[in-house]
Amino acid sequence: MSTSSVSKGCFVFKPSAKKKKTQSLEDYFVSGCEGAENSETRFRLCQDLWDKIKENTEVLQEELNRKILDSLLDFTKKCSSTPSHSNWAAQMRASEIPTAALVLGVNVPDHDMTFQSLSDLLQQSVSPYVASVQAKECGALKHLMKRVLERLMDTVVTVDDDEEEENEPISTQLHKSVHCSLGTLCDWYSAKTKKSNSGTPGKKRSSSDGDDPQQPPVVIIFKDLEVFNPRVLQDFILICSRYIQRLPLMFIFGIATSPSTIQNMLPHSVSSLLCIELFQSLSCTQHLATVIDKLILTHHFPFKLNGKVMQVLISIFLYHDFSVRNFIKGVQLALLEHFHSQPLSVLCCRKKEALLNVMQLSPGDLERIRQLPSFQRYVEKQEPEEQENLSTDDTHLKEVCKTLIKDLRKYHKNYYPVLRCLHTLATSLPRYPLGKQIRELHLICLEKNVWENEDYQSSMKLLKMLAKDELINLLQRCLEILQPVKSKQMEDARVQLEELLVKFKQLDTAAAEAQPCVEESIISPVKNLGKKTDLFQLQKTLLEMNETRRSKKLSPFELLRNEALELIDSLVKSHLSPPESLTLNEVCYYSSSATVRRHLNATPRTSIQAALSSPYYYLQNTSLKTEDGSVSNAAPDICIAYKLHLECGRLINLYDWLEAYATVVSAAEGNNPDSDNFGKVDEVKHARFIRAVSELEFLGFIKSTKQKTDHVARLTWGGC
């Protein structure tokens, strides 16, 4: 651009507006992805698989929450009825506010989803006037009142406080605002209901009391009751009770711990103003068991987690948050990491698509298959000629891979039904030797051969002690598990189970005929014990009884019972081998438990200590790079103070610490060590030191102590 002008002037040229290029999700996935030649296909497979898992998860969660949500809907409809239409409403005092105490459990991250579903259902079928509030935004009564009115009336609400008005943005102040009081809400509600009633054609008003019997309630949801300020909650309830005749209020308390929280927070004079009904949601452990059963223990999803990754996710659930939502996010993280880091994950898809992708594998992918540990074990078991073909012939390798992929699908199709059968049998035993939850048995099977486990062997011994009715019921349940499975092995097992059940039902007459003979053989030696005998004769008789028991023929029931348990044992040994023993298991199984633990179970203290000990790796400044692992004297002040505090004991003298810091800083400034000013503390160094110490105290490395006024206590041990 150029300008021509006789006079001097200043010309401003605006830069051309170039839109900033934003990367798509696929670009982020491909960036740094190993095996980029098929990264697009892997991204598509990953996204499709996650969409399917997410859809099934949402449907499952809706089914699990349906019972509690339906109960809450019935409660709100019952409360909104007039006394002439509801006996429950007639029993409630005029000044009482109907309240639902919803006990959701300590899995707080999952509560938002439940409350969102509840709010949507209430707005659709009960009342359009629903407001949800949280404790963090309601520190004072005026804040709580303001949030409630704003969310119900969908307008700007002002409070009688100059500071509040000053803090509001100009755009907010320009809009029409209303006064913050329940009287304003009553007037607004009355106008709204009149308008809706008058605007509804063909709707007749009640002539008895002049009020509309179908007035929708005003529902206020307190998501986290325990965190609310008790005084704020008490004042709000007292105010609401004064307006209950004009405004059909209704409360829903979200409780994470115990219903006794209401009594602990509210005195009797306030709690007596509430007509409370308790609702208990499904426990988070049952929720997790259902999610694992429907999403993990199924052959419909080709992506799998190995034992260590599964154990990490379950441990985070049990020992940190009890959040099923976070557990599913962990599965999503493992899914994304698997498809991003494993080029052969292109085969982790449906059977038909996987067989097509095998034929499109590049020479690099085929070489990766040859390097897989499971494939190398497979090659070692083959004949020398076959080993040579697998190592050199790519076409032959693809055909073998297609067969191995089919075998992997067959394994998963047979694994889960047999696992459920074994779990059904094991949970009927006392003390649950193989675990109470099916996920515990699944982890055992992922780790090693379950039939080599001592608990499995003891379980089989205990199953031989079951009564006939108990055993028949368990076998019938196993038959129901195998019934829908379309597999040749499972069909054969199903036929054998059906034959055994038929034989069990035909045992009654045969057992009745064989019983007298058995009793006679057992009791006959006992008859001699009634006679007078010596010690030698008694010992001889007891030995004869023992030999009789050993040589006793097994009854028909015992023969059938042993045959049934042998069938179960053969199914276990045939189909419950660990997945690591399968060839190409790396295609479907994600095994990097360290990555999952690092992302989901972060250790901020370790990261902070590593940053303070090695600032070069974080700041990338060459002057901070050291060879022996020590901190450079040119490092930030907090790094120098941290390194010096590691050399002290439990109590640190602040003056000595300051002098050591001043010496290190003087060396960094290039001062002559022999000069008088070297290591001298001036105001600047003093201020820098105080700031570094304050930062260390904020991070939790030191704390002030009353033992010595000029000392601080150290809260760490050793280095990073």
Side-chain angles (χ1 to χ4, degrees), residues 188-455:
W188 173 84
Y189 178 80
S190 178
K192 279 283 185 181
T193 51
K194 274 185 182 179
K195 184 178 179 181
S196 60
N197 292 338
S198 61
T200 305
K203 187 173 183 180
K204 296 182 179 180
R205 293 181 57 84
S206 175
S207 59
S208 60
D209 53 359
D211 295 330
D212 186 9
Q214 301 298 329
Q215 284 187 340
V218 177
V219 184
I220 303 175
I221 302 175
F222 298 85
K223 291 185 177 180
D224 43 1
L225 185 71
E226 289 92 343
V227 195
F228 272 87
N229 187 337
R231 189 62 190 172
V232 172
L233 196 61
Q234 294 171 24
D235 293 342
F236 183 75
I237 294 173
L238 288 171
I239 295 173
C240 290
S241 65
R242 302 296 179 91
Y243 290 87
I244 193 63
Q245 298 295 336
R246 298 175 56 191
L247 196 64
L249 287 167
M250 186 180 303
F251 294 158
I252 296 179
F253 289 160
I255 302 173
T257 53
S258 171
S260 61
T261 303
I262 300 177
Q263 281 74 24
N264 296 334
M265 295 182 65
L266 305 176
H268 178 70
S269 59
V270 178
S271 60
S272 60
L273 300 175
L274 305 176
C275 185
I276 303 174
E277 187 166 334
L278 184 64
F279 296 88
Q280 181 73 49
S281 68
L282 186 71
S283 68
C284 52
T285 52
Q286 293 175 332
H287 194 168
L288 177 70
T290 307
V291 168
I292 291 178
D293 187 59
K294 300 296 184 181
L295 298 181
I296 305 296
L297 304 181
T298 176
H299 69 278
H300 296 295
F301 299 109
F303 173 72
K304 304 296 177 184
L305 303 174
N306 82 332
K308 292 183 179 179
V309 177
M310 190 81 175
Q311 187 63 54
V312 168
L313 295 178
I314 293 176
S315 298
I316 293 175
F317 173 85
L318 294 176
Y319 300 112
H320 287 80
D321 53 12
F322 285 101
S323 172
V324 179
R325 184 180 180 185
N326 289 346
F327 178 86
I328 296 172
K329 285 184 178 179
V331 175
Q332 182 185 10
L333 171 66
L335 175 70
L336 184 62
E337 285 286 338
H338 177 68
F339 277 91
H340 186 266
S341 60
Q342 175 58 271
L344 296 177
S345 59
V346 70
L347 305 179
C348 184
C349 52
R350 290 176 306 215
K351 181 180 175 181
K352 292 182 179 179
E353 192 172 2
L355 296 179
L356 291 175
N357 291 340
V358 167
M359 303 308 296
Q360 298 176 1
L361 290 176
S362 64
D365 291 332
L366 295 175
E367 189 60 33
R368 290 188 182 97
I369 289 179
R370 294 187 177 100
Q371 298 299 323
L372 292 177
S374 62
F375 189 79
Q376 290 179 355
R377 292 194 298 267
Y378 170 80
V379 173
E380 291 174 357
K381 297 177 183 178
Q382 306 303 315
E383 298 295 331
E385 184 179 355
E386 179 67 13
Q387 292 181 6
E388 181 67 22
N389 292 334
L390 291 173
S391 302
T392 57
D393 190 352
D394 291 349
T395 304
H396 179 67
L397 177 60
K398 290 180 180 180
E399 295 298 327
V400 172
C401 286
K402 291 172 67 175
T403 304
L404 295 175
I405 290 293
K406 292 178 182 178
D407 294 341
L408 196 61
R409 296 298 185 272
K410 290 179 183 177
Y411 167 79
H412 289 140
K413 202 168 187 178
N414 297 328
Y415 173 88
Y416 297 109
V418 176
L419 181 73
R420 298 181 196 280
C421 290
L422 180 59
H423 174 69
T424 300
L425 295 171
T427 49
S428 65
L429 303 176
R431 297 185 180 181
Y432 308 106
L434 291 177
K436 187 175 182 180
Q437 301 288 343
I438 192 171
R439 65 170 183 265
E440 302 174 46
L441 178 59
H442 178 55
L443 289 175
I444 296 174
C445 295
L446 290 178
E447 184 180 356
K448 61 179 181 180
N449 294 330
V450 65
W451 56 88
E452 297 176 357
N453 195 322
E454 294 182 2
D455 294 329

Side-chain angles (χ1 to χ4, degrees), residues 4 153 265 320 403 413 503 535 601 616 687:
S4 59
M153 301 171 63
M265 295 182 65
H320 287 80
T403 304
K413 202 168 187 178
K503 292 179 181 179
L535 184 61
N601 193 12
Y616 166 74

Side-chain angles (χ1 to χ4, degrees), residues 73 76-77 80 97-98 115 118-133 147-155 182 184-200 203 212 214-222 236 246-252:
L73 285 178
T76 53
K77 291 177 181 178
S80 60
I97 303 173
F115 282 121
L118 174 61
S119 180
D120 294 340
L121 288 174
L122 289 174
Q123 290 179 343
Q124 291 172 6
S125 57
V126 178
S127 171
Y129 313 119
V130 180
S132 299
V133 291
R147 297 293 181 271
V148 170
L149 265 65
E150 284 180 345
R151 282 160 194 178
L152 288 173
M153 301 171 63
D154 193 19
T155 185
L182 279 185
T184 305
L185 181 62
C186 292
D187 297 338
W188 173 84
Y189 178 80
S190 178
K192 279 283 185 181
T193 51
K194 274 185 182 179
K195 184 178 179 181
S196 60
N197 292 338
S198 61
T200 305
K203 187 173 183 180
D212 186 9
Q214 301 298 329
Q215 284 187 340
V218 177
V219 184
I220 303 175
I221 302 175
F222 298 85
F236 183 75
R246 298 175 56 191
L247 196 64
L249 287 167
M250 186 180 303
F251 294 158
I252 296 179

Side-chain angles (χ1 to χ4, degrees), residues 637 658 661-663 665-667 669 671 677-691:
D637 295 335
L658 173 59
Y661 168 80
T663 303
V665 172
S666 297
E669 294 174 352
N671 297 332
N677 294 330
F678 185 82
K680 186 177 180 180
V681 178
D682 54 15
E683 293 181 357
V684 176
K685 294 177 183 176
H686 193 191
R688 290 167 57 186
F689 174 76
I690 291 174
R691 184 177 64 177

Side-chain angles (χ1 to χ4, degrees), residues 503-706:
K503 292 179 181 179
F504 272 116
K505 292 178 182 179
Q506 297 173 352
L507 275 180
D508 294 335
T509 52
E513 295 174 358
Q515 189 174 0
C517 301
V518 175
E519 288 182 354
E520 183 178 355
S521 63
I522 295 176
I523 298 174
S524 56
V526 182
K527 295 179 181 179
N528 297 328
L529 294 178
K531 301 177 182 179
K532 186 176 180 180
T533 180
D534 55 6
L535 184 61
F536 176 77
Q537 189 66 28
L538 176 62
Q539 184 179 7
K540 182 179 178 181
T541 306
L542 292 174
L543 288 174
E544 290 177 358
M545 291 175 60
N546 192 21
E547 291 295 331
T548 303
R549 287 196 182 96
R550 291 183 179 178
S551 60
K552 183 191 68 169
K553 292 184 178 180
L554 295 177
S555 65
F557 165 69
E558 291 172 334
L559 291 173
L560 281 177
R561 181 184 61 193
N562 292 344
E563 186 178 351
L565 294 180
E566 287 175 2
L567 173 62
I568 298 297
D569 185 60
S570 64
L571 288 175
V572 169
K573 292 180 178 179
S574 301
H575 304 294
L576 290 189
S577 56
E580 292 182 357
S581 62
L582 300 175
T583 310
L584 299 186
N585 68 85
E586 296 89 348
V587 169
C588 297
Y589 282 84
Y590 179 70
S591 59
S592 182
S593 58
T595 303
V596 175
R597 188 185 298 275
R598 185 174 66 252
H599 285 294
L600 300 182
N601 193 12
T603 54
R605 164 84 51 160
T606 305
S607 301
I608 293 172
Q609 287 180 322
L612 295 176
S613 301
S614 306
Y616 166 74
Y617 296 102
Y618 290 80
L619 302 179
Q620 293 296 315
N621 189 346
T622 54
S623 63
L624 302 179
K625 192 173 184 180
T626 56
E627 299 263 339
D628 54 354
S630 62
V631 176
S632 171
N633 53 14
D637 295 335
I638 188 174
C639 298
I640 297 173
Y642 171 77
K643 185 65 177 179
L644 292 173
H645 110 287
L646 292 178
E647 301 173 0
C648 302
R650 190 178 65 85
L651 292 178
I652 305 175
N653 188 307
L654 285 172
Y655 184 76
D656 295 342
W657 194 6
L658 173 59
E659 283 193 332
Y661 168 80
T663 303
V664 175
V665 172
S666 297
E669 294 174 352
N671 297 332
N672 187 5
D674 299 329
S675 63
D676 296 337
N677 294 330
F678 185 82
K680 186 177 180 180
V681 178
D682 54 15
E683 293 181 357
V684 176
K685 294 177 183 176
H686 193 191
R688 290 167 57 186
F689 174 76
I690 291 174
R691 184 177 64 177
V693 171
S694 300
E695 291 173 349
L696 288 176
E697 184 178 9
F698 175 75
L699 293 174
F701 290 101
I702 60 172
K703 71 172 184 177
S704 58
T705 177
K706 295 181 180 180

